[in-house]
Amino acid sequence: MDAAIMDGKTLKAGAVASLKHVKNPIVLARLVMDKSPHVMMDGEGAEAFAKQHGVELIDQKYFYTKQRWEALQKTKAAEKGGPSGEKKFIITEQDLHGTVGAVALDRDGNLAAATSTGGKTNKLPGRVGDSPVIGAGTYANNATCAVSGTGDGEFFIMATVGHDLSALMEYRGMRLEEAAKAVLGKVAKLDGTGGLIAIDNQGNITLPFNTSGMYRGYVDPTGKFVTEIYR
Amino acid sequence: MDAAIMDGKTLKAGAVASLKHVKNPIVLARLVMDKSPHVMMDGEGAEAFAKQHGVELIDQKYFYTKQRWEALQKTKAAEKGGPSGEKKFIITEQDLHGTVGAVALDRDGNLAAATSTGGKTNKLPGRVGDSPVIGAGTYANNATCAVSGTGDGEFFIMATVGHDLSALMEYRGMRLEEAAKAVLGKVAKLDGTGGLIAIDNQGNITLPFNTSGMYRGYVDPTGKFVTEIYR
């Protein structure tokens, strides 16, 4: 499991990768930001830091769900080349990814972004995705926007999605929605799929994706809640 | 040890972090780029991937050097608050960092960047620096430049140094040297020190740093070799 959090006011960030026993990886990312001299920590070292700070470590059994287990078996079977067309070999976006992200703007104009993920289904052991890569899957900067990405993490790293979106706004003067579209276009050009959620320092939001759907929701300043899956 | 490599033509990249037994981390970064479906791998998973591809794994004793060991003891003593002013508690840049980076442009206009490091002296176990963070300590894009950073990795991640330099050139039209100066200025504003080496797609180079010195060298198209340490 990987996670990251970034504070757009100070550019302080905390990122954790390759965790196996941390119940809530984002809690540890926050601790790395607040209580360590570092930005990114991984593996057993990160878990030792967690233990030292009283973060709950649990048995890996806790993370088992029937749905994700079956997605893994299906993905493995498909990789081996199952009979095409059979329903059990149709791999959906939902089978492959399980990322949760959040971005927020407070009344003082401060932006923040956070992302947590189990990573890509059937990844090689030790694979780190874009979520804990500051500037890729997670980025926040009060000068521009806060971004959290989901999808083919490899391409989100190659395209430095979060920082590129911010840079297009800051240096090119693009609006949030336009910049997000441009960045996802670059991901698509690399043959990557996915989506992102972003909010700028004026409270504009955008939730674009180039997949069939993306679980998403937002709450506006009037307190209105909206949730959506497909287009 | 952490390392990363990036190909500016394709934006393909390979990054490895928290290695303990890989003799040449950059070789593994290259393999992750070329032979894995991933961009970033860490820890034991990365080392298992190394083993599978015949990369040399060695005992940690191999990495011992008297100089680095003494730097570690000195840094630890200074952290505990040794008597100030004594020579043995004066921590130099050289004590703290051991990063090696390279950037190159070929005759076809292709850029590449690579960085390898043992990380910050006296870091917490599991700390990942900026070197394997694509867009921070390592970045290459044929549209602009190739960059490799060294210094306070945490600040290089917060400032997304590599991609920001590229973005200032691409979106603001800055020249390489000007963009590098601007980015290092942002690192300094965050209270970070360090330097970088960068080359653009026209062959211009810049090697700025805000520390007392930086071991650096370059070779120009005529074959002239230059090496420098201080200003």
Side-chain angles (χ1 to χ4, degrees), chain B residues 110-194:
Chain B
N110 296 309
L111 288 162
T115 315
S116 181
T117 187
K120 201 168 186 171
T121 301
N122 202 27
K123 65 187 177 185
L124 293 174
R127 180 263 193 182
V128 178
D130 63 313
S131 304
V133 175
I134 298 299
T138 306
Y139 189 71
N141 188 334
N142 276 8
T144 52
C145 62
V147 188
S148 174
T150 179
D152 294 333
E154 280 68 18
F155 301 102
F156 278 62
I157 296 175
M158 290 158 68
T160 328
V161 164
H163 185 269
D164 197 38
L165 206 170
S166 170
L168 284 170
M169 293 182 68
E170 187 172 1
Y171 304 146
R172 273 273 167 88
M174 280 191 189
R175 287 175 304 106
L176 179 79
E177 199 182 335
E178 184 188 6
K181 205 177 153 186
V183 172
L184 269 193
K186 292 185 192 182
V187 171
K189 213 177 149 191
L190 294 167
D191 268 335
T193 61

Side-chain angles (χ1 to χ4, degrees), chain A residues 11 18 37-42 44-45 124-128 154 158 160 163-164 168 170-172 186, chain B residues 11 18 37-42 44-45 124-128 134 154 158 160 163-164 168 170-172 186:
Chain A
L11 300 183
S18 296
H38 302 316
V39 167
M40 189 171 190
M41 296 182 76
D42 70 358
E44 286 169 19
L124 292 175
R127 179 262 193 184
V128 177
E154 279 68 18
M158 289 158 68
T160 328
H163 185 268
D164 198 37
L168 284 169
E170 187 173 1
Y171 304 146
R172 272 273 167 91
K186 292 185 192 181
Chain B
L11 299 184
S18 295
H38 302 317
V39 167
M40 189 172 189
M41 296 182 75
D42 70 359
E44 286 171 20
L124 293 174
R127 180 263 193 182
V128 178
I134 298 299
E154 280 68 18
M158 290 158 68
T160 328
H163 185 269
D164 197 38
L168 284 170
E170 187 172 1
Y171 304 146
R172 273 273 167 88
K186 292 185 192 182

